[in-house]
Amino acid sequence: MRSGKNSGLWWYFVSMVFIIILSFVFIMAVLAFLYFRVENNTWEHGNPFPPILTMVLFSLVIGTTISIMVGRKILSPITDFSKAAKEIAGGNFDIYLNESHRVNEISEVAHHFNLMVQELRSIETLRNDFVVNVSHEFKTPIAAIEGYAMLLQEENLSKEEHDEYTGMIIESSRQLSNLSGNILKISKLENQEMLTELAEYPLDEQLRQALLLLESLWSAKQLNLNLDLEEQRYYGNEELMMQVWLNVLGNAIKFTPEGGEISVSIQADSSWISVIISDTGIGMTPKVRKHIFEKFYQGDPARAAGGNGLGLPLAARIISLSKGTIEVRSEPGQGSAFTIKLPVAGA
Protein backbone atom coordinates (compact mmCIF):
# COMPACT_ATOMS: atom_id res chain seq x y z
CA MET A 1 0.00 0.00 0.00
CA ARG A 2 2.73 2.43 0.92
CA SER A 3 4.82 1.74 -2.18
CA GLY A 4 1.73 2.32 -4.33
CA LYS A 5 1.13 5.72 -2.72
CA ASN A 6 4.77 6.77 -3.29
CA SER A 7 5.07 5.43 -6.85
CA GLY A 8 4.76 8.94 -8.31
CA LEU A 9 7.69 10.23 -6.23
CA TRP A 10 9.67 7.09 -7.06
CA TRP A 11 9.34 7.72 -10.78
CA TYR A 12 10.25 11.34 -10.19
CA PHE A 13 13.55 10.40 -8.51
CA VAL A 14 14.26 7.77 -11.17
CA SER A 15 13.80 10.40 -13.86
CA MET A 16 16.11 12.79 -12.02
CA VAL A 17 18.86 10.14 -11.74
CA PHE A 18 18.40 9.34 -15.41
CA ILE A 19 18.82 13.00 -16.33
CA ILE A 20 22.01 13.26 -14.23
CA ILE A 21 23.48 10.12 -15.81
CA LEU A 22 22.54 11.30 -19.28
CA SER A 23 24.19 14.65 -18.61
CA PHE A 24 27.32 12.91 -17.30
CA VAL A 25 27.59 10.66 -20.34
CA PHE A 26 27.11 13.59 -22.67
CA ILE A 27 29.79 15.68 -20.94
CA MET A 28 32.20 12.76 -20.85
CA ALA A 29 31.74 12.26 -24.56
CA VAL A 30 32.55 15.90 -25.15
CA LEU A 31 35.53 15.56 -22.80
CA ALA A 32 36.86 12.58 -24.68
CA PHE A 33 36.54 14.42 -27.95
CA LEU A 34 38.15 17.70 -26.81
CA TYR A 35 40.81 16.72 -24.31
CA PHE A 36 42.38 13.46 -25.19
CA ARG A 37 42.83 10.91 -27.92
CA VAL A 38 44.32 7.46 -27.63
CA GLU A 39 47.05 6.68 -30.11
CA ASN A 40 49.34 3.70 -29.67
CA ASN A 41 48.04 3.26 -26.08
CA THR A 42 49.28 6.73 -25.01
CA TRP A 43 47.43 9.90 -24.01
CA GLU A 44 48.12 12.76 -26.44
CA HIS A 45 47.62 15.54 -23.88
CA GLY A 46 49.40 13.99 -20.91
CA ASN A 47 47.63 13.35 -17.59
CA PRO A 48 43.83 13.32 -18.29
CA PHE A 49 42.58 13.14 -14.67
CA PRO A 50 42.38 16.88 -13.85
CA PRO A 51 40.16 17.67 -16.86
CA ILE A 52 38.13 14.52 -16.24
CA LEU A 53 37.50 15.56 -12.63
CA THR A 54 36.60 19.05 -13.78
CA MET A 55 34.10 17.75 -16.33
CA VAL A 56 32.59 15.31 -13.82
CA LEU A 57 31.94 18.13 -11.41
CA PHE A 58 30.65 20.28 -14.24
CA SER A 59 28.28 17.50 -15.38
CA LEU A 60 26.99 17.05 -11.84
CA VAL A 61 26.28 20.77 -11.57
CA ILE A 62 24.45 20.77 -14.90
CA GLY A 63 22.51 17.61 -14.05
CA THR A 64 21.49 18.93 -10.64
CA THR A 65 20.40 22.25 -12.14
CA ILE A 66 18.31 20.48 -14.78
CA SER A 67 16.81 18.20 -12.08
CA ILE A 68 15.82 21.14 -9.92
CA MET A 69 14.23 22.96 -12.87
CA VAL A 70 12.33 19.89 -14.04
CA GLY A 71 11.38 18.99 -10.46
CA ARG A 72 9.87 22.39 -9.85
CA LYS A 73 7.91 22.08 -13.07
CA ILE A 74 6.62 18.65 -12.10
CA LEU A 75 5.88 19.52 -8.47
CA SER A 76 4.21 22.87 -9.25
CA PRO A 77 0.69 21.34 -9.77
CA ILE A 78 1.09 19.31 -6.57
CA THR A 79 1.93 22.49 -4.68
CA ASP A 80 -1.17 24.14 -6.14
CA PHE A 81 -3.29 21.14 -5.06
CA SER A 82 -1.88 21.38 -1.54
CA LYS A 83 -2.65 25.11 -1.26
CA ALA A 84 -6.16 24.63 -2.67
CA ALA A 85 -6.86 21.76 -0.25
CA LYS A 86 -5.82 23.97 2.68
CA GLU A 87 -8.20 26.70 1.49
CA ILE A 88 -11.08 24.21 1.24
CA ALA A 89 -10.28 22.85 4.70
CA GLY A 90 -10.59 26.44 5.94
CA GLY A 91 -14.06 26.78 4.43
CA ASN A 92 -13.13 28.73 1.29
CA PHE A 93 -14.82 27.10 -1.73
CA ASP A 94 -14.02 29.89 -4.21
CA ILE A 95 -11.02 27.95 -5.53
CA TYR A 96 -10.25 27.10 -9.14
CA LEU A 97 -7.24 25.18 -10.45
CA ASN A 98 -5.82 25.71 -13.92
CA GLU A 99 -6.82 22.72 -16.05
CA SER A 100 -4.50 23.47 -18.98
CA HIS A 101 -1.39 21.35 -18.42
CA ARG A 102 0.85 19.44 -20.80
CA VAL A 103 0.45 16.26 -18.78
CA ASN A 104 -3.05 14.87 -19.42
CA GLU A 105 -3.23 13.10 -16.06
CA ILE A 106 -2.57 16.35 -14.17
CA SER A 107 -5.19 18.15 -16.27
CA GLU A 108 -7.74 15.44 -15.44
CA VAL A 109 -6.93 15.62 -11.73
CA ALA A 110 -7.34 19.42 -11.81
CA HIS A 111 -10.65 19.05 -13.68
CA HIS A 112 -12.06 16.55 -11.18
CA PHE A 113 -10.76 18.68 -8.31
CA ASN A 114 -12.68 21.68 -9.69
CA LEU A 115 -15.82 19.54 -10.04
CA MET A 116 -15.44 18.44 -6.41
CA VAL A 117 -15.09 22.06 -5.27
CA GLN A 118 -18.16 23.01 -7.29
CA GLU A 119 -20.19 20.23 -5.66
CA LEU A 120 -18.97 21.23 -2.20
CA ARG A 121 -19.91 24.84 -2.95
CA SER A 122 -23.40 23.71 -4.00
CA ILE A 123 -23.80 21.58 -0.88
CA GLU A 124 -22.71 24.49 1.30
CA THR A 125 -25.22 26.76 -0.44
CA LEU A 126 -28.00 24.21 0.01
CA ARG A 127 -27.09 23.79 3.67
CA ASN A 128 -27.23 27.54 4.28
CA ASP A 129 -30.52 27.81 2.40
CA PHE A 130 -31.89 24.88 4.39
CA VAL A 131 -31.04 26.56 7.70
CA VAL A 132 -32.57 29.85 6.56
CA ASN A 133 -35.74 28.15 5.26
CA VAL A 134 -36.19 26.02 8.37
CA SER A 135 -35.78 29.09 10.58
CA HIS A 136 -38.33 30.99 8.51
CA GLU A 137 -40.82 28.14 8.38
CA PHE A 138 -40.67 27.66 12.14
CA LYS A 139 -40.78 31.38 12.84
CA THR A 140 -44.08 31.95 11.01
CA PRO A 141 -46.35 29.57 12.99
CA ILE A 142 -44.60 30.38 16.27
CA ALA A 143 -45.22 34.08 15.71
CA ALA A 144 -48.88 33.34 14.90
CA ILE A 145 -49.30 31.27 18.08
CA GLU A 146 -47.72 34.00 20.18
CA GLY A 147 -49.83 36.73 18.59
CA TYR A 148 -53.17 34.98 19.00
CA ALA A 149 -52.28 33.85 22.52
CA MET A 150 -51.69 37.51 23.45
CA LEU A 151 -55.05 38.43 21.94
CA LEU A 152 -56.74 35.79 24.09
CA GLN A 153 -55.50 37.62 27.18
CA GLU A 154 -57.62 40.64 26.35
CA GLU A 155 -60.76 41.13 28.37
CA ASN A 156 -64.28 41.33 26.99
CA LEU A 157 -63.61 39.00 24.07
CA SER A 158 -66.69 37.78 22.24
CA LYS A 159 -67.23 34.05 21.79
CA GLU A 160 -66.68 34.40 18.05
CA GLU A 161 -63.33 36.13 18.56
CA HIS A 162 -62.29 33.59 21.18
CA ASP A 163 -63.15 30.69 18.86
CA GLU A 164 -61.35 32.37 15.95
CA TYR A 165 -58.16 32.95 17.93
CA THR A 166 -58.08 29.46 19.43
CA GLY A 167 -58.75 28.01 15.97
CA MET A 168 -55.76 29.91 14.53
CA ILE A 169 -53.55 28.71 17.39
CA ILE A 170 -54.62 25.10 16.74
CA GLU A 171 -54.00 25.51 13.00
CA SER A 172 -50.55 27.03 13.55
CA SER A 173 -49.68 24.26 16.04
CA ARG A 174 -50.76 21.65 13.50
CA GLN A 175 -48.66 23.36 10.81
CA LEU A 176 -45.66 23.39 13.15
CA SER A 177 -46.15 19.72 13.96
CA ASN A 178 -46.41 18.77 10.27
CA LEU A 179 -43.31 20.79 9.47
CA SER A 180 -41.17 19.18 12.16
CA GLY A 181 -42.49 15.74 11.24
CA ASN A 182 -41.68 16.22 7.55
CA ILE A 183 -38.20 17.53 8.36
CA LEU A 184 -37.50 14.46 10.51
CA LYS A 185 -38.83 12.13 7.80
CA ILE A 186 -36.84 13.63 4.95
CA SER A 187 -33.71 13.85 7.10
CA LYS A 188 -34.02 10.17 7.96
CA LEU A 189 -34.67 9.14 4.35
CA GLU A 190 -31.75 11.17 3.02
CA ASN A 191 -29.44 9.12 5.26
CA GLN A 192 -30.89 5.82 4.03
CA GLU A 193 -29.60 3.84 1.09
CA MET A 194 -32.35 1.23 1.00
CA LEU A 195 -35.86 0.67 2.29
CA THR A 196 -36.86 -1.91 4.87
CA GLU A 197 -40.16 -3.50 5.91
CA LEU A 198 -41.02 -4.46 2.33
CA ALA A 199 -44.16 -6.44 1.60
CA GLU A 200 -46.53 -7.17 -1.25
CA TYR A 201 -49.87 -5.37 -1.14
CA PRO A 202 -52.65 -4.16 -3.52
CA LEU A 203 -51.50 -0.84 -4.99
CA ASP A 204 -54.89 0.03 -6.49
CA GLU A 205 -56.57 -0.33 -3.10
CA GLN A 206 -53.92 1.88 -1.48
CA LEU A 207 -54.67 4.67 -3.98
CA ARG A 208 -58.38 4.42 -3.18
CA GLN A 209 -57.61 4.64 0.55
CA ALA A 210 -55.48 7.75 -0.05
CA LEU A 211 -58.36 9.41 -1.87
CA LEU A 212 -60.72 8.51 0.97
CA LEU A 213 -58.33 10.09 3.50
CA LEU A 214 -58.37 13.28 1.41
CA GLU A 215 -62.14 13.24 0.83
CA SER A 216 -62.76 16.31 2.96
CA LEU A 217 -60.43 18.33 0.72
CA TRP A 218 -61.66 17.32 -2.74
CA SER A 219 -65.33 17.14 -1.77
CA ALA A 220 -65.19 20.68 -0.35
CA LYS A 221 -64.03 21.92 -3.79
CA GLN A 222 -66.52 19.66 -5.59
CA LEU A 223 -63.80 18.06 -7.67
CA ASN A 224 -64.60 15.23 -10.08
CA LEU A 225 -62.57 12.03 -9.77
CA ASN A 226 -61.71 10.02 -12.85
CA LEU A 227 -60.29 6.67 -11.71
CA ASP A 228 -58.86 3.87 -13.85
CA LEU A 229 -57.47 1.54 -11.20
CA GLU A 230 -57.16 -2.04 -12.34
CA GLU A 231 -56.05 -4.63 -9.82
CA GLN A 232 -52.31 -4.33 -9.31
CA ARG A 233 -50.02 -5.67 -6.61
CA TYR A 234 -46.75 -4.02 -5.63
CA TYR A 235 -43.79 -5.09 -3.49
CA GLY A 236 -42.50 -2.18 -1.37
CA ASN A 237 -42.83 -0.19 1.84
CA GLU A 238 -46.57 0.32 2.21
CA GLU A 239 -46.40 3.10 4.80
CA LEU A 240 -43.95 5.26 2.85
CA MET A 241 -45.79 4.75 -0.44
CA MET A 242 -49.00 5.95 1.22
CA GLN A 243 -47.08 9.12 2.11
CA VAL A 244 -46.22 9.54 -1.59
CA TRP A 245 -49.84 9.29 -2.73
CA LEU A 246 -51.07 11.63 0.00
CA ASN A 247 -48.47 14.24 -0.93
CA VAL A 248 -48.96 14.08 -4.69
CA LEU A 249 -52.76 13.87 -4.52
CA GLY A 250 -52.88 16.60 -1.88
CA ASN A 251 -50.80 18.81 -4.14
CA ALA A 252 -53.16 18.17 -7.06
CA ILE A 253 -56.20 18.99 -4.94
CA LYS A 254 -54.59 22.15 -3.59
CA PHE A 255 -53.92 23.65 -7.01
CA THR A 256 -57.11 22.56 -8.77
CA PRO A 257 -59.94 25.12 -8.71
CA GLU A 258 -63.50 24.28 -7.70
CA GLY A 259 -65.33 22.03 -10.14
CA GLY A 260 -62.07 20.73 -11.63
CA GLU A 261 -61.06 17.14 -12.23
CA ILE A 262 -58.40 14.79 -10.89
CA SER A 263 -57.51 11.61 -12.74
CA VAL A 264 -55.68 8.60 -11.30
CA SER A 265 -54.72 5.58 -13.40
CA ILE A 266 -52.43 2.55 -13.23
CA GLN A 267 -50.55 1.12 -16.22
CA ALA A 268 -48.21 -1.86 -15.98
CA ASP A 269 -45.94 -3.99 -18.12
CA SER A 270 -43.39 -6.69 -17.38
CA SER A 271 -40.86 -4.22 -15.89
CA TRP A 272 -42.64 -1.15 -14.56
CA ILE A 273 -45.82 -0.09 -12.79
CA SER A 274 -46.81 3.45 -13.79
CA VAL A 275 -49.18 5.54 -11.68
CA ILE A 276 -50.38 8.71 -13.44
CA ILE A 277 -51.98 11.44 -11.33
CA SER A 278 -53.19 14.42 -13.36
CA ASP A 279 -55.34 17.46 -12.66
CA THR A 280 -56.97 20.40 -14.40
CA GLY A 281 -55.36 22.94 -12.08
CA ILE A 282 -53.36 26.10 -12.62
CA GLY A 283 -50.29 24.27 -13.97
CA MET A 284 -46.67 25.32 -13.64
CA THR A 285 -44.21 27.47 -15.52
CA PRO A 286 -40.93 25.85 -16.66
CA LYS A 287 -39.09 27.66 -13.85
CA VAL A 288 -41.43 26.28 -11.16
CA ARG A 289 -41.41 22.83 -12.76
CA LYS A 290 -37.61 22.77 -12.55
CA HIS A 291 -37.51 23.34 -8.77
CA ILE A 292 -40.59 21.57 -7.38
CA PHE A 293 -38.55 18.68 -5.95
CA GLU A 294 -36.24 21.01 -4.00
CA LYS A 295 -36.80 21.31 -0.26
CA PHE A 296 -38.86 24.32 0.89
CA TYR A 297 -39.44 25.54 -2.69
CA GLN A 298 -42.91 26.99 -3.17
CA GLY A 299 -43.73 28.13 -6.68
CA ASP A 300 -46.91 29.99 -5.76
CA PRO A 301 -46.25 32.36 -2.83
CA ALA A 302 -49.94 33.29 -2.75
CA ARG A 303 -50.76 29.73 -1.68
CA ALA A 304 -47.67 29.04 0.38
CA ALA A 305 -49.63 29.19 3.63
CA GLY A 306 -51.10 25.78 2.89
CA GLY A 307 -47.76 23.94 2.84
CA ASN A 308 -44.08 24.05 3.65
CA GLY A 309 -42.42 22.92 0.43
CA LEU A 310 -41.47 19.46 1.72
CA GLY A 311 -44.25 17.26 0.33
CA LEU A 312 -42.92 16.68 -3.19
CA PRO A 313 -39.23 16.43 -2.14
CA LEU A 314 -40.25 13.80 0.42
CA ALA A 315 -42.23 11.89 -2.22
CA ALA A 316 -39.31 12.08 -4.67
CA ARG A 317 -36.89 10.69 -2.09
CA ILE A 318 -39.19 7.77 -1.28
CA ILE A 319 -39.58 6.98 -4.99
CA SER A 320 -35.81 7.15 -5.44
CA LEU A 321 -35.23 4.72 -2.57
CA SER A 322 -37.85 2.46 -4.16
CA LYS A 323 -35.69 2.41 -7.34
CA GLY A 324 -38.40 4.25 -9.23
CA THR A 325 -38.78 7.58 -11.00
CA ILE A 326 -41.13 10.53 -10.77
CA GLU A 327 -41.72 12.93 -13.66
CA VAL A 328 -44.04 15.86 -14.21
CA ARG A 329 -45.61 17.41 -17.30
CA SER A 330 -47.26 20.77 -16.82
CA GLU A 331 -48.07 24.02 -18.58
CA PRO A 332 -49.57 27.19 -17.09
CA GLY A 333 -53.35 26.99 -17.12
CA GLN A 334 -53.36 23.42 -18.46
CA GLY A 335 -52.94 21.42 -15.29
CA SER A 336 -50.21 18.99 -14.27
CA ALA A 337 -49.58 15.28 -14.69
CA PHE A 338 -47.26 13.33 -12.39
CA THR A 339 -46.01 9.94 -13.59
CA ILE A 340 -44.57 7.67 -10.91
CA LYS A 341 -42.83 4.55 -12.19
CA LEU A 342 -42.15 1.68 -9.78
CA PRO A 343 -40.19 -1.46 -10.66
CA VAL A 344 -41.99 -4.78 -10.80
CA ALA A 345 -40.64 -7.19 -8.21
CA GLY A 346 -38.00 -9.42 -9.76
CA ALA A 347 -37.86 -7.47 -13.03
Side-chain angles (χ1 to χ4, degrees), residues 29-37 43-46 48 51-52 54-55:
V30 174
L31 172 67
F33 179 79
L34 294 177
Y35 284 89
F36 58 88
R37 183 176 58 191
W43 295 99
E44 182 180 6
H45 295 285
I52 290 176
T54 301
M55 296 310 294

Side-chain angles (χ1 to χ4, degrees), residues 8 12 32 83 100 119 161 189 196 213 244 254 256 273 328:
Y12 164 70
K83 292 180 179 178
S100 59
E119 289 298 321
E161 290 175 329
L189 291 173
T196 58
L213 291 173
V244 171
K254 176 181 176 181
T256 301
I273 301 171
V328 59

Side-chain angles (χ1 to χ4, degrees), residues 131-141 179:
V131 172
V132 171
N133 288 325
V134 168
S135 300
H136 173 74
E137 293 294 335
F138 271 98
K139 183 179 179 181
T140 302
L179 174 61

Side-chain angles (χ1 to χ4, degrees), residues 36-238:
F36 58 88
R37 183 176 58 191
V38 179
E39 290 183 358
N40 299 324
N41 297 324
T42 61
W43 295 99
E44 182 180 6
H45 295 285
N47 188 3
F49 293 107
I52 290 176
L53 181 60
T54 301
M55 296 310 294
V56 168
L57 294 176
F58 185 61
S59 66
L60 289 175
V61 171
I62 293 178
T64 304
T65 303
I66 295 175
S67 300
I68 292 174
M69 294 175 60
V70 175
R72 286 182 178 178
K73 190 70 175 177
I74 294 176
L75 293 177
S76 177
I78 300 177
T79 303
D80 294 338
F81 289 145
S82 178
K83 292 180 179 178
K86 288 181 180 179
E87 291 291 331
I88 293 175
N92 180 17
F93 298 104
D94 295 327
I95 300 295
Y96 181 83
L97 292 178
N98 184 15
E99 298 179 7
S100 59
H101 198 278
R102 292 182 179 180
V103 181
N104 292 333
E105 287 77 5
I106 295 179
S107 296
E108 290 181 3
V109 171
H111 175 68
H112 292 302
F113 186 91
N114 290 333
L115 290 178
M116 179 194 71
V117 174
Q118 183 179 354
E119 289 298 321
L120 289 174
R121 190 187 304 121
S122 300
I123 292 173
E124 181 69 11
T125 301
L126 288 175
R127 187 182 69 84
N128 292 335
D129 291 344
F130 181 82
V131 172
V132 171
N133 288 325
V134 168
S135 300
H136 173 74
E137 293 294 335
F138 271 98
K139 183 179 179 181
T140 302
I142 290 175
I145 293 172
E146 181 182 4
Y148 287 111
M150 291 178 65
L151 291 175
L152 286 174
Q153 292 180 340
E154 296 182 0
E155 298 179 357
N156 302 323
L157 282 179
S158 64
K159 186 178 184 305
E160 291 77 10
E161 290 175 329
H162 181 275
D163 293 343
E164 179 185 357
Y165 298 159
T166 54
M168 294 302 297
I169 290 176
I170 294 173
E171 179 62 28
S172 297
S173 301
R174 185 179 294 114
Q175 183 180 354
L176 194 60
S177 176
N178 291 336
L179 174 61
S180 58
N182 284 336
I183 290 176
L184 290 174
K185 286 179 183 177
I186 201 167
S187 177
K188 179 182 177 181
L189 291 173
E190 284 181 340
N191 291 312
Q192 284 187 226
E193 295 299 329
M194 60 183 298
L195 295 179
T196 58
E197 301 180 4
L198 306 180
E200 188 179 66
Y201 64 91
L203 184 62
D204 55 308
E205 185 62 28
Q206 187 181 50
L207 286 165
R208 293 187 183 92
Q209 291 177 2
L211 287 169
L212 286 176
L213 291 173
L214 298 171
E215 181 181 6
S216 61
L217 299 179
W218 54 262
S219 61
K221 302 178 74 171
Q222 298 180 345
L223 301 180
N224 298 316
L225 299 182
N226 182 16
L227 305 182
D228 183 13
L229 302 176
E230 297 183 358
E231 184 177 350
Q232 179 64 54
R233 299 190 69 81
Y234 171 66
Y235 183 78
N237 187 301
E238 186 174 1

Side-chain angles (χ1 to χ4, degrees), residues 244 248 293 312 315-316 319 324-328 338-341:
V244 171
V248 177
F293 297 116
L312 290 180
I319 295 299
T325 62
I326 179 169
E327 300 175 352
V328 59
F338 286 83
T339 301
I340 295 97
K341 289 187 175 182

